Amino acid sequence: MPLFETTSAGLILWAVIGYGLGAVPFGMVLAKIMGLGNLREIGSGNIGATNVLRTGNKLAAALTLLLDGGKGAVAVLLARVFANEDAVQLAALMAFIGHCYPVWLGFRGGKGVATFLGIMLALAWPVGVACCLTWLVAALISRVSSMGAIMAAALSTGWAVVLGYGEVLILAFVLTLLVFWRHRSNISRIKAGTEPKIGQKG
């Protein structure tokens, strides 16, 4: 856990910046620009890359993944340049919350997987790489994107300890809880065997 060195006003500022970056709904923006329809009426109704892929447009899905991850990374990197580590981690948390609960969409956002991975890559890149590989292996084995997300989040705290990044342990734990909360319906469907496979439409 980082030392608390930033003033209250500074923390509020970076919380707002982090939230603002996270709240940009790139999936919705790209779907509109590329004429893919309303994501709310496609597949799960989610605004993330997995649901964008259900439109059949792989480029749009890849761009959504990169941009959703990028906004989490940018929140961390900006704060790291201009502020202390406590502000960095707060900006990271608020970027994740902004993605999941964007004010522009009535607080109905995505599930935060790409943003979570982008945050971890920028915050402690070895931990981020380990989380990305965990997602990839779990998703390839199960062919279920949400399974990859759940496993990546579940193991993030372990990776932080093993790789020597104890200062991000608490944030990783909080983000893990939020990822699980956002995927609670997916977890129920995984248990029931009804969770859609990667690339499945509708």
Side-chain angles (χ1 to χ4, degrees):
M1 182 174 180
L3 296 174
F4 288 98
E5 301 176 292
T6 306
T7 64
S8 297
L11 289 175
I12 291 171
L13 173 63
W14 284 104
V16 171
I17 291 172
Y19 180 88
L21 287 168
V24 179
F26 284 114
M28 296 286 281
V29 172
L30 287 169
K32 185 171 184 179
I33 291 174
M34 301 175 79
L36 304 178
N38 184 355
L39 288 183
R40 295 300 192 195
E41 299 172 355
I42 297 170
S44 65
N46 204 319
I47 67 169
T50 299
N51 202 45
V52 174
L53 185 59
R54 294 190 179 107
T55 67
N57 193 313
K58 294 180 180 179
L59 174 60
L63 288 173
T64 301
L65 180 68
L66 289 173
L67 290 169
D68 281 349
K71 64 187 181 184
V74 167
V76 169
L77 296 175
L78 272 179
R80 188 158 278 166
V81 170
F82 295 106
N84 299 312
E85 192 64 20
D86 54 346
V88 171
Q89 295 202 23
L90 179 60
L93 174 61
M94 292 306 296
F96 184 89
I97 291 174
H99 176 79
C100 295
Y101 304 101
V103 63
W104 334 112
L105 299 178
F107 302 102
R108 294 173 57 237
K111 298 192 176 180
V113 182
T115 305
F116 166 77
L117 294 175
I119 286 169
M120 297 310 297
L121 283 167
L123 200 61
W125 71 263
V127 178
V129 170
C131 288
C132 288
L133 291 174
T134 301
W135 180 90
L136 182 62
V137 171
L140 285 175
I141 291 173
S142 65
R143 295 206 63 237
V144 175
S145 178
S146 57
M147 179 64 80
I150 292 163
M151 292 303 298
L155 294 179
S156 63
T157 51
W159 289 126
V161 172
V162 169
L163 296 170
Y165 287 87
E167 68 275 12
V168 305
L169 187 59
I170 292 177
L171 176 61
F173 179 71
V174 172
L175 292 176
T176 295
L177 293 179
L178 290 170
V179 168
F180 270 69
W181 174 254
R182 295 297 290 169
H183 284 80
R184 60 195 185 280
S185 60
N186 302 84
I187 293 170
S188 296
R189 288 193 296 271
I190 288 171
K191 290 179 178 178
T194 58
E195 181 74 342
K197 301 293 184 180
I198 293 174
Q200 182 178 329
K201 295 183 180 182

